[in-house]
Amino acid sequence: TTMHVKKYLLKCLHRLQKGPGYTYKELLVWYCDNTNTHGPKRIICEGPKKKAMWFVLTLLFTSLVCWQWGVFIRTYLSWEVSVSL
């Protein structure tokens, strides 16, 4: 238990020195390391040319998914509803 307390206190000290949160770069690296999708993992693991290619592809397909969601939501909201009590 002493080791766990020491690790916890060391982590708290690190956060105090660093500030209340993490930087965007640290959060991006953490996300890319821990995600199940293929693109983000390769953004941080590959060489510079492949990083750029994977970044563009990931951004492209993420934007396509968001566009498709918008189409679906717009289609759903455009249906006429009639209520009679």
Side-chain angles (χ1 to χ4, degrees), residues 12-79:
C12 289
L13 178 64
H14 181 261
R15 279 197 178 163
L16 282 174
Q17 290 172 346
K18 201 167 180 144
Y22 296 100
T23 64
Y24 288 116
K25 184 176 181 179
E26 289 173 332
L27 289 173
L28 178 66
V29 169
W30 179 87
Y31 172 75
C32 292
D33 277 337
N34 294 301
T35 186
N36 290 330
T37 58
H38 299 289
K41 280 186 180 182
R42 288 182 171 81
I43 290 173
I44 62 169
C45 296
E46 301 288 340
K49 289 180 184 177
K50 285 188 178 180
K51 273 185 184 183
M53 181 192 71
W54 277 107
F55 180 75
V56 169
L57 285 174
T58 302
L59 195 62
L60 172 73
F61 287 111
T62 302
S63 61
L64 285 172
V65 166
C66 291
W67 172 74
Q68 190 67 47
W69 284 348
V71 169
F72 285 146
I73 290 170
R74 200 171 332 137
T75 303
Y76 177 76
L77 292 176
S78 69
W79 290 345

Side-chain angles (χ1 to χ4, degrees), residues 3-14:
M3 195 63 139
H4 293 295
V5 172
K6 189 175 180 180
K7 276 186 174 181
Y8 178 76
L9 291 175
L10 190 62
K11 191 184 284 187
C12 289
L13 178 64
H14 181 261

